[in-house]
Amino acid sequence: MNSVQPIPVVVLAGFLGSGKTTVLNHLLGNRGGTRIGVVVNDFGSIEIDAMSVAGQVGDSMVSLGGGCLCCAVDGSELDAYLDRLAAPVHRIDVIVIEASGLAEPQEMVRMLVANENPAIRYGGLVQVVDAAEFDRTRTAHPETDRHLSVADLVVLNKTDRVDPAERARIEGELAGLCAPGTPLVGADHGRIDPELLFDRRPWTETRGQLSFEDLIAEAADDGGHDAHADHAHARYESVEFTSDQALSPRRFIDFLDRRPAGLYRIKGFVWFGVPGHQERYEVHAVGRFLRFGPGPWGRGEPRRTQLVLIGCGTDGPALLRELEACRDESPEQAPPESMWGVLRYVPAADRGEDPSAQAGSPSGEDPEDPEDPEGQDRAAWPEDTP
């Protein structure tokens, strides 16, 4: 699997005490058969966060102590750890970087999109917010507002510690601090559905050796606790869309640009059928983060769009109607420039271009622009990013 598809790298950020480690532990405890590689970036020489998750991931975890990960000048240390986790022998499906509470997430994302390892790809920035300490955190750390402005998905944690009116007030303020359309997920004790961030695979390996999965299974079999009641996926809805007819790239991009805040994740493959762009386009969205990846169709594989949309409080039938309206009866007549909206979310390397080239960028971005290094995904860097 990983030899074909790059491993997504998700950055989990948030200030000290926001609950990042709790969120990470929940993801690890509800991963099913998904193999998660973890990089824990503790601030300080005693890696408390690393010790709290070490028993769950074993050799698939590396930690960086003694300072912020983003302080590495050239990112070579992070690259080395990611290269290690991405080695085929580990069969890792997704990598999660738990950033230090004092890290600059924007710089960490820049390091990831500049990484030249084809086995990994940036998978989105998740910012964790402590509902009970929201005002005090903003006062003590004014940079909070900047961090929120570049987040792809915001997790409002510890909602059980505030009353409904206070929660509504905080959510209103977050809506003003985040970029338009940034999804906001409420959580208590860090319980969010792993499917919002990555595909959760079923258990396929034979149990018997002592493992974290065994402990979870035993706890669920005790009968004294309804484990399913704690599963966050019960709060979300999933909508599936399939079309044997090609989609208009312009209408589909317009749909993505207007997607509601409650739509947390989109995954699947799209068939556009535009001349010169007959590939199968993989689409991956986590919150505002959006990425397309062109690839070949399998032998005998029908040209078809297959999408899964995961959200909360969304109107499933309305989403399907909007996607139905994206169908294109005559894709062969579409001009090449109709694909520009899609191609701006395709990394330059996947477009077969030299990232340092000065021309040919469909969205008009300048590769020399420091705000857009290496022709990176524009969805990760909205125009109003400071």
Side-chain angles (χ1 to χ4, degrees):
M1 173 180 170
N2 291 334
S3 62
V4 177
Q5 296 294 336
I7 303 171
V9 182
V10 178
V11 177
L12 187 63
F15 279 106
L16 300 169
S18 61
K20 299 185 300 299
T21 301
T22 304
V23 171
L24 177 57
N25 281 333
H26 176 76
L27 295 176
L28 293 169
N30 294 273
R31 57 181 168 166
T34 304
R35 295 180 65 86
I36 304 177
V38 178
V39 176
V40 176
N41 171 219
D42 274 353
F43 187 83
S45 59
I46 302 178
E47 299 166 352
I48 302 301
D49 288 347
M51 291 191 293
S52 71
V53 299
Q56 299 190 28
V57 295
D59 292 338
S60 295
M61 187 191 78
V62 294
S63 60
L64 303 175
C68 293
L69 191 64
C70 61
C71 294
V73 176
D74 59 5
S76 59
E77 187 177 14
L78 173 61
D79 290 347
Y81 283 120
L82 293 177
D83 289 347
R84 171 183 163 189
L85 287 175
V89 67
H90 295 306
R91 296 183 292 119
I92 297 294
D93 297 304
V94 61
I95 297 172
V96 179
I97 299 178
E98 183 190 347
S100 159
L102 301 178
E104 281 290 339
Q106 185 170 350
E107 294 306 314
M108 299 185 69
V109 173
R110 289 185 187 277
M111 291 163 63
L112 288 173
V113 297
N115 187 288
E116 298 180 353
N117 186 343
I120 65 172
R121 61 174 170 81
Y122 172 58
L125 169 63
V126 180
Q127 188 78 15
V128 183
V129 175
D130 185 339
E133 300 291 332
F134 177 68
D135 293 326
R136 283 184 285 273
T137 298
R138 288 188 68 198
T139 299
H141 303 282
E143 60 271 33
T144 298
D145 294 3
R146 184 177 69 253
H147 296 179
L148 288 167
S149 72
V150 299
D152 297 305
L153 177 68
V154 175
V155 176
L156 182 60
N157 195 30
K158 306 182 185 180
T159 55
D160 56 313
R161 296 180 55 190
V162 297
D163 59 41
E166 177 68 359
R167 174 175 176 175
R169 180 190 70 83
I170 295 172
E171 289 178 344
E173 292 201 30
L174 287 172
L177 295 171
C178 298
T182 302
L184 173 65
V185 180
D188 58 82
H189 300 89
R191 293 187 290 238
I192 65 171
D193 191 341
E195 289 282 347
L196 299 182
L197 304 181
F198 54 81
D199 292 335
R200 182 167 43 189
R201 302 172 63 184
W203 272 312
T204 57
E205 298 180 2
T206 303
R207 295 177 187 163
Q209 296 181 347
L210 182 61
S211 67
F212 191 66
E213 287 87 348
D214 291 324
L215 297 177
I216 296 174
E218 291 174 7
D221 292 340
D222 281 344
H225 175 67
D226 184 2
H228 188 271
D230 289 336
H231 288 182
H233 65 254
R235 310 172 192 171
Y236 306 110
E237 301 93 35
S238 176
V239 175
E240 297 183 3
F241 173 78
T242 302
S243 174
D244 290 323
Q245 191 172 350
L247 300 191
S248 162
R250 285 174 171 166
R251 291 199 289 269
F252 186 58
I253 285 294
D254 183 58
F255 165 78
L256 294 174
D257 287 343
R258 296 181 292 101
R259 62 190 186 272
L263 184 54
Y264 304 132
R265 189 172 183 220
I266 302 173
K267 58 181 179 177
F269 301 95
V270 186
W271 161 237
F272 293 116
V274 176
H277 300 279
Q278 302 289 326
E279 306 97 328
R280 182 183 71 168
Y281 280 81
E282 180 186 10
V283 59
H284 170 76
V286 173
R288 291 189 307 126
F289 174 75
L290 175 62
R291 184 186 185 104
F292 284 96
W297 297 93
R299 184 186 298 271
E301 183 179 2
R303 277 39 174 175
R304 175 181 299 157
T305 292
Q306 295 178 293
L307 297 172
V308 176
L309 301 87
I310 302 173
C312 180
T314 54
D315 186 339
L319 291 175
L320 291 176
R321 287 193 297 270
E322 291 191 53
L323 287 170
E324 292 282 352
C326 293
R327 296 177 187 267
D328 189 350
E329 296 181 357
S330 305
E332 68 281 355
Q333 298 179 11
E337 58 266 25
S338 66
M339 286 292 295
W340 285 1
V342 172
L343 294 179
R344 70 188 295 230
Y345 298 111
V346 175
D350 290 342
R351 294 198 299 262
E353 300 175 4
D354 181 352
S356 63
Q358 293 296 313
S361 174
S363 57
E365 59 263 25
D366 181 358
E368 293 295 324
D369 183 354
E371 291 299 319
D372 187 30
E374 305 299 330
Q376 64 199 35
D377 303 286
R378 297 288 291 182
W381 303 107
E383 297 299 333
D384 57 351
T385 298

